[in-house]
Amino acid sequence: MRTLRRLVRIPLLFVHVSLGVVVILAATGWDRLRRRPLHEGLARGMQVFWCWSICRLLGVRIHVQGAPAVEPPALFVSNHLSWLDILVISARWPVSFLSKSEVRAWPGIGAVATALGTLYIERGARNASGQANAVMAQRLNEGYRVIFFPEGTTSPGGELLPFRPRLYQAALDAEAPVQPVTLLYRNAEGELSDAAPFVNNDPLIRHVVRLAGEPRTDCRVYVCNAIDVEGRKRSELSALSRAAMANALGLQDAAGADNGRVSREDRANAQESATETQ
């Protein structure tokens, strides 16, 4: 059955992605002619359908729980497991992602990402985080949602990697709340999926083929309560959001090596916040 699923899904996926690139780029051009704001025009509608339908073609079902998303401007932060995360989040909320600059050069996908408002960070460049904070704060000040993955890389999903607090500065500069979001992928048996996470330098094509063979993958999206930034430091925002996300995922260790230890009071606040949304 896995082979049959792949034979059906992969050709459909290739056609769907290719057509989607063309349609979304045309829609963004139309939106510019009509002077439509980012995330509010025809392209956004096409993006929602494109991302949702790619997930469906791969057998991925999206389930959203928790608190309502705060109105923009807001800085979203999420754990990172796979390239699927971008599709899942985009299918639900209009956001500007912070991505590595290499994505801009990807054929087709890079043009779509740029047209839909993706922001880029030159990893390894001098003052890369400062430049990223500046463009993120600007987008927040324009009244939009921005999202980044504070782990900086993908994980298998059974834990949270240490967070990088520097990019939380954008929320402080724009005085925008921080909203933690957690993602968890489970297979058809309800167990933690080992097919959805994109880790260990796995080639993209091989990963897509493996995922396409799965009968079903459920993505649980849990939205934690937003965190007010007033009077806080970026290290505190990082620690609080990580604690809330760890609690939502059922992980006991809510502290990260790069963040220092979360105080008992901060952890209690995070647990209370997550409990209120259940």
Side-chain angles (χ1 to χ4, degrees), residues 89-119:
I89 293 170
S90 296
R92 188 66 180 84
W93 299 285
V95 294
S96 291
F97 284 87
L98 180 69
S99 178
K100 59 183 181 181
S101 58
E102 293 88 339
V103 171
R104 185 161 31 195
W106 290 1
I109 300 298
V112 168
T114 301
L116 291 171
T118 296
L119 305 170

Side-chain angles (χ1 to χ4, degrees), residues 20 54 65 70 86 96 115 120 126 137 141 154 159 167-168 198 227 242 252:
I54 289 175
Q65 300 173 276
V70 295
I86 296 171
S96 291
Y120 297 101
R126 184 177 182 181
N141 283 324
T154 55
E159 62 179 354
L167 295 180
Y168 284 84
F198 184 51
I227 302 169
R242 193 178 192 278
Q252 292 183 352

Side-chain angles (χ1 to χ4, degrees), residues 121 185 191 237 257 270:
I121 182 171
Y185 296 92
E191 300 171 345
L237 293 174

Side-chain angles (χ1 to χ4, degrees), residues 74-78 133 136 140 148-151 160 162-181 224-246 254-256 258-263 266-267 269-270 273:
L75 180 67
F76 278 34
V77 292
S78 172
N133 275 319
M136 291 167 65
L140 290 169
F148 79 98
F149 302 110
E151 293 169 294
L160 288 175
F163 279 21
R164 302 179 180 183
R166 289 185 178 180
L167 295 180
Y168 284 84
Q169 185 63 41
L172 294 173
D173 292 343
E175 299 180 353
V178 174
Q179 183 136 48
V181 176
C224 304
N225 284 347
I227 302 169
D228 188 6
V229 301
E230 185 177 358
R232 301 190 187 276
K233 298 179 180 179
R234 62 193 187 189
S235 59
E236 187 179 4
L237 293 174
S238 174
L240 282 172
S241 59
R242 193 178 192 278
M245 291 162 68
D258 287 354
N259 298 333
R261 296 194 61 80
V262 179
S263 69
D266 286 346
R267 186 175 298 200
N269 289 339
S273 173

Side-chain angles (χ1 to χ4, degrees), residues 25-37:
L25 290 178
T28 56
W30 175 253
D31 289 340
R32 290 193 189 100
L33 287 174
R34 300 191 64 189
R35 301 182 184 276
R36 297 299 301 273

